[in-house]
């Protein structure tokens, strides 16, 4: 019974929990509800993944209406993998949230925060699981609206302008997506992704379909913060509450990347179609610029959260680089990096959130000598930082290995060199923090700090542990990504 | 000329779309930006509704004497899109109110200057 309705439960559980939090308006109770809903959603994602591995595509007809007419939830290996990432990040973050959020907000505000988080989670899971193009737009807006509010709850007033800017750019992006979907619908008369994939090849080269593709590309690129459409991201992640930054950096951009893959590969006909467009070249150039420009900007940031945000833009460049190859290894690298980057960046934001919790600032110069006072937090930071650079034995190495391998397969050795150089730039900005934290005398303020509370450390260290575990045993991350890459290339849905 | 008249919906769509997006980009006032965003979103409603109309068709309710029906799907979709649009506008306005409280202005460049300090 439960197994039969898993796809619906995946989305409905957090959706029902959200108004409950808003109704009770008690911080602790809302947190307990959120924790339950997040973990149940994680459990549902795991069960769905097992189901998909076991029996192939799982299709769920909402309300019992048959697929092209009713709305269909369609889970294959690709979105089961993304669902696992999103709900996993959510499940790890919520135990952390209680301490972090309760320190800043009153009872009612805490409940509102959890309501928003649950709606964002619902939206992101919904975008990923649905097999209906218009449903994607609706869920995308649910998650976006909720995340604007989550960003606007930061402690610095700049979070307000960051949220406003994100709202403008995010809405333009979502509207572009819906224009694209509208044109596709006008041409094919269907909104079901599976149905679209069947009907599009006949009319692939008509002008409205190509225009739809252009709108979808720009809209989704805005959402995934592809350089140069990333302008909303740095401030949004820098000034939002730590929990929000960790959650969004691990999930929101990943879902947009999933949409990109879904539309280009599944709906428009796999690797062959992707290579027939000018996109591989464009994406390659933009990815490289993102990797270098954003990393370089990150080096000069004085706010560590802002530095991590720019680093996100650079890491998204790595992911889109993998997509631009349009080969099995390239896509495997891209999807593995989605998984790995979610672990690393969410973990880094959680650890820096611990610093913010104790120190009240994340300016680099304020963090002098903090490695001696908060040794566990900073040790975690170093491990995840090493992973971000791509040190062997951590997840960062795995994804960069596959991205490099994909370049070698195509005989483009210069790309391997560029990937290595970009990783060296990563070393500079992580190194700056490490230098200040360990090799400088603690300032008076740092000298009286205590280690971050266990409630903040444990969730962060689950991610640190995952960064090492999945760096050694890649059967889950790479194994799934590889199979998903094959499905994408051959447009199997 | 007749061709333009026959596709007048789409011309209006294009004008609203480009005009709305232009306001979002060109205006420095945060409220005006939201107005532009609203116009931009409205153009999409028209884009969806236009191809759904069948000339001479009625509302899709089974009744004697009517054979030709318009497609009801775009109406359902756009009803949802309107709700999304209203929510976005409301949230945007709420943010502008908060920005005004925090900075004392809703002009892009002035807020930017205050942030630099």
């Amino acid at each position: 019974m439960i197994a039969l309705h898993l796809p619906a439960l995946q989305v409905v559980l957090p959706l029902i929990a959200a108004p409950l939090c808003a109704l009770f308006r008690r911080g602790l109770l809302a947190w307990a509800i959120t924790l339950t809903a997040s973990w149940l959603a994680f459990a549902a994602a795991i069960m769905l993944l097992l189901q998909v591995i076991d029996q192939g595509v799982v299709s769920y007809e909402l309300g019992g209406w048959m697929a092209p007419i009713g709305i269909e939830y369609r889970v294959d290996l690709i979105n089961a993998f993304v669902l696992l990432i999103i709900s996993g990040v959510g499940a790890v973050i919520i135990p952390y949230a209680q301490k972090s959020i309760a320190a800043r907000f009153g009872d009612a505000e805490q409940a509102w925060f959890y309501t928003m988080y649950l709606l964002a989670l619902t939206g992101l899971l919904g975008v990923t699981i649905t097999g209906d193009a218009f449903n994607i737009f609706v869920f995308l807006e649910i998650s976006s609206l909720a995340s604007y509010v989550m960003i606007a709850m930061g402690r610095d007033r700049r979070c307000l302008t960051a949220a406003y800017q994100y709202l403008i750019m995010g809405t333009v992006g979502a509207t572009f997506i819906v224009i694209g979907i509208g044109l596709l619908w006008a041409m094919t008369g269907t909104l079901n992704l599976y149905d679209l994939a069947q009907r599009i090849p006949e009319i692939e080269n008509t002008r409205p379909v190509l225009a739809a593709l252009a709108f979808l590309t720009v809209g989704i690129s805005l959402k995934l913060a592809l350089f140069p459409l990333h302008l909303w991201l740095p401030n949004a992640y820098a000034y939002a509450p730590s929990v929000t930054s960790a959650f969004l950096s691990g999930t929101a951009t990943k879902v947009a990347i999933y949409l990109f893959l879904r539309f280009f590969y599944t709906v428009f006909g796999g690797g062959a179609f992707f290579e027939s467009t000018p996109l591989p070249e464009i994406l390659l150039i933009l990815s490289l610029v993102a990797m270098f420009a954003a990393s370089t900007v990150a080096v000069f940031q004085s706010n560590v959260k802002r530095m991590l945000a720019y680093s996100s833009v650079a890491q998204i460049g790595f992911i889109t680089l993998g997509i631009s190859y349009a080969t099995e290894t390239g896509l495997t690298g891209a999807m593995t990096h989605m998984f790995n980057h979610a672990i690393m960046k969410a973990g880094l934001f959680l650890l820096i959130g611990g610093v913010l919790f104790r120190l009240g600032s994340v300016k680099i110069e304020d963090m002098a000598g903090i490695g001696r006072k908060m040794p566990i937090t900073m040790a975690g930071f170093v491990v995840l930082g090493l992973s971000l650079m791509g040190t062997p034995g951590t997840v960062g190495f795995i994804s960069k290995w596959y991205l490099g391998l994909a370049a070698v397969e195509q005989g483009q050795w210069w790309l391997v060199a560029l990937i290595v150089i970009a990783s060296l730039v990563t070393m500079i900005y992580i190194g700056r923090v490490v230098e200040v934290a360990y090799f400088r005398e603690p300032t008076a303020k740092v000298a009286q700090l205590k280690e971050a509370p266990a409630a903040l450390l444990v969730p962060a260290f689950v991610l640190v542990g995952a960064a090492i575990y999945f760096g050694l045993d890649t059967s889950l991350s790479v194994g799934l990504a590889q199979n998903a890459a094959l499905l994408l290339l051959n447009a199997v849905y | 000329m007749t061709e333009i008249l026959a596709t007048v919906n789409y011309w209006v769509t294009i004008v609203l779309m480009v005009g709305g997006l232009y306001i979002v980009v060109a205006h420095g006032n945060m409220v005006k930006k939201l107005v532009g965003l609203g116009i931009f979103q409205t153009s999409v409603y028209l884009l969806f509704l236009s191809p759904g109309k069948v000339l001479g068709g009625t509302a899709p309710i089974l009744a004697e004497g009517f054979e030709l029906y318009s497609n009801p799907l775009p109406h359902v979709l756009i009803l949802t899109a309107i709700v999304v649009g209203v929510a976005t506008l409301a949230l945007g306005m709420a943010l502008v109110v908060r920005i005004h409280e925090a900075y004392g202005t809703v002009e892009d460049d002035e807020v930017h200057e205050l942030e630099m300090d």
Side-chain angles (χ1 to χ4, degrees):
Chain A
M1 174 69 186
I2 286 181
L4 202 62
H5 292 288
L6 266 181
L9 284 172
Q10 178 79 79
V11 179
V12 167
L13 282 171
L15 184 63
I16 291 179
L20 285 182
C21 287
L23 283 175
F24 288 124
R25 301 240 191 128
R26 292 266 180 286
L28 211 56
L29 185 60
W31 174 74
I33 294 171
T34 310
L35 188 72
T36 318
S38 301
W39 284 6
L40 284 175
F42 187 42
I46 293 172
M47 283 160 78
L48 261 179
L49 183 64
L50 293 176
Q51 220 175 36
V52 169
I53 291 173
D54 191 43
Q55 66 185 54
V57 176
V58 174
S59 166
Y60 183 85
E61 288 160 351
L62 280 181
W65 294 91
M66 259 184 5
I69 295 169
I71 290 169
E72 181 194 21
Y73 282 1
R74 198 175 169 87
V75 192
D76 62 357
L77 213 49
I78 305 157
N79 51 4
F81 184 60
V82 181
L83 287 173
L84 187 75
I85 299 176
I86 303 166
S87 57
V89 171
V92 175
I93 278 173
I94 287 306
Y96 177 102
Q98 208 283 323
K99 192 103 187 165
S100 174
I101 295 298
R104 287 202 41 225
F105 297 112
D107 237 11
E109 274 175 312
Q110 286 178 46
W112 288 123
F113 181 87
Y114 292 121
T115 311
M116 287 305 141
Y117 158 80
L118 283 167
L119 285 176
L121 182 67
T122 308
L124 294 169
L125 292 170
V127 171
T128 312
I129 205 170
T130 187
D132 182 277
F134 199 82
N135 226 227
I136 288 177
F137 163 70
V138 176
F139 276 124
L140 200 62
E141 282 300 70
I142 292 176
S143 72
S144 301
L145 286 168
S147 47
Y148 306 148
V149 179
M150 283 169 77
I151 290 165
M153 289 178 90
R155 61 173 81 193
D156 191 310
R157 66 175 176 175
R158 276 172 288 191
C159 71
L160 294 171
T161 40
Y164 178 84
Q165 201 181 11
Y166 186 15
L167 180 133
I168 296 285
M169 296 183 80
T171 308
V172 170
T175 311
F176 268 59
I177 293 174
V178 85
I179 292 172
I181 291 170
L183 289 171
L184 286 182
W185 169 74
M187 287 303 286
T188 58
T190 181
L191 286 166
N192 186 291
L193 291 182
Y194 179 79
D195 227 19
L196 275 173
Q198 310 300 314
R199 295 190 197 185
I200 281 178
E202 288 170 37
I203 47 166
E204 204 165 80
N205 283 316
T206 54
R207 197 170 291 177
V209 171
L210 291 177
L213 194 65
F215 275 113
L216 284 170
T217 312
V218 177
I220 297 174
S221 301
L222 253 168
K223 285 281 179 189
L224 70 80
L226 178 68
F227 187 92
L229 301 170
H230 68 283
L231 292 171
W232 57 267
L233 188 144
N235 280 346
Y237 287 8
Y239 303 121
S242 309
V243 182
T244 311
S245 310
F247 179 64
L248 292 182
S249 70
T251 55
T253 45
K254 309 293 172 292
V255 167
I257 290 165
Y258 158 76
L259 276 187
F260 192 94
L261 291 170
R262 186 57 100 200
F263 272 108
F264 277 98
Y265 285 95
T266 310
V267 174
F268 276 91
F273 174 78
F274 188 70
E275 290 202 82
S276 72
T277 65
L279 262 166
E281 288 81 19
I282 296 173
L283 207 56
L284 177 70
I285 293 167
L286 292 181
S287 307
L288 288 174
V289 178
M291 281 157 55
F292 283 95
S295 298
T296 313
V297 176
V299 172
F300 294 102
Q301 294 303 313
S302 59
N303 177 325
V304 179
K305 272 176 89 178
R306 206 149 190 269
M307 178 197 95
L308 291 176
Y310 272 107
S311 148
S312 273
V313 178
Q315 298 295 321
I316 289 163
F318 280 104
I319 301 176
T320 47
L321 178 72
I323 299 174
S324 77
Y325 297 141
T327 60
E328 188 197 333
T329 323
L331 284 174
T332 307
M335 293 205 63
T336 313
H337 201 47
M338 274 166 77
F339 181 86
N340 294 345
H341 179 245
I343 293 176
M344 295 188 283
K345 203 41 76 56
L348 282 168
F349 271 118
L350 289 185
L351 289 168
I352 284 301
V355 173
L356 188 64
F357 183 82
R358 284 291 189 222
L359 185 63
S361 157
V362 284
K363 286 245 161 59
I364 286 197
E365 65 258 31
D366 293 346
M367 285 170 62
I370 207 165
R372 291 177 216 173
K373 290 293 160 185
M374 301 176 76
I376 308 178
T377 305
M378 289 318 288
F381 188 90
V382 170
V383 172
L384 288 176
L386 284 171
S387 174
L388 207 59
M389 288 174 221
T391 319
T394 58
V395 284
F397 174 72
I398 305 297
S399 18
K400 285 189 184 148
W401 170 262
Y402 277 94
L403 291 175
L405 206 61
V408 173
E409 270 178 9
Q410 299 197 317
Q412 291 171 315
W413 288 91
W414 57 279
L415 263 175
V416 182
L418 288 180
I419 292 173
V420 173
I421 297 171
S423 304
L424 290 179
V425 185
T426 314
M427 194 163 89
I428 298 175
Y429 63 74
I430 294 293
R432 264 182 83 218
V433 179
V434 172
E435 193 265 327
V436 171
Y438 283 99
F439 300 113
R440 292 207 189 155
E441 283 306 311
T443 55
K445 206 175 171 204
V446 170
Q448 47 183 315
L449 285 185
K450 280 185 298 181
E451 183 54 75
L456 300 192
L457 279 178
V458 172
F461 268 81
V462 169
L463 291 172
V464 174
I468 294 173
Y469 177 79
F470 290 114
L472 300 173
D473 175 13
T474 58
S475 53
L476 176 73
S477 53
V478 177
L480 282 176
Q482 211 150 21
N483 288 328
L486 276 177
L487 292 181
L488 283 170
L489 273 180
N490 302 319
V492 181
Y493 190 32
Chain B
M1 189 64 200
T2 45
E3 198 180 318
I4 291 178
L5 279 177
T7 53
V8 67
N9 297 12
Y10 296 100
W11 289 106
V12 174
T13 305
I14 291 169
V15 170
L16 288 176
M17 203 176 273
V18 178
L21 201 55
Y22 176 78
I23 297 172
V24 173
V25 177
H27 268 281
N29 184 302
M30 293 186 174
V31 178
K32 287 185 185 165
K33 267 183 195 289
L34 287 175
V35 172
L37 201 64
I39 296 174
F40 179 51
Q41 286 179 308
T42 308
S43 74
V44 180
Y45 308 160
L46 209 54
L47 179 76
F48 268 78
L49 291 176
S50 301
K53 172 69 185 166
V54 177
L55 285 179
T58 68
I61 301 166
L62 285 177
E64 254 175 71
F66 296 104
E67 298 281 310
L68 202 57
Y69 301 109
S70 282
N71 189 343
L73 181 67
H75 296 90
V76 181
L77 299 179
I78 290 315
L79 204 58
T80 316
I82 289 172
V83 174
V84 170
V86 169
T88 310
L89 189 65
L91 181 61
M93 288 296 189
L95 280 174
V96 172
V97 170
R98 291 275 312 274
I99 288 172
H100 190 260
E101 281 171 4
Y103 291 88
T105 174
V106 290
E107 296 292 332
D108 239 4
D109 42 350
E110 288 172 23
V111 169
H112 192 68
E113 257 171 48
L114 286 169
E115 282 187 348
M116 290 288 106
D117 304 336

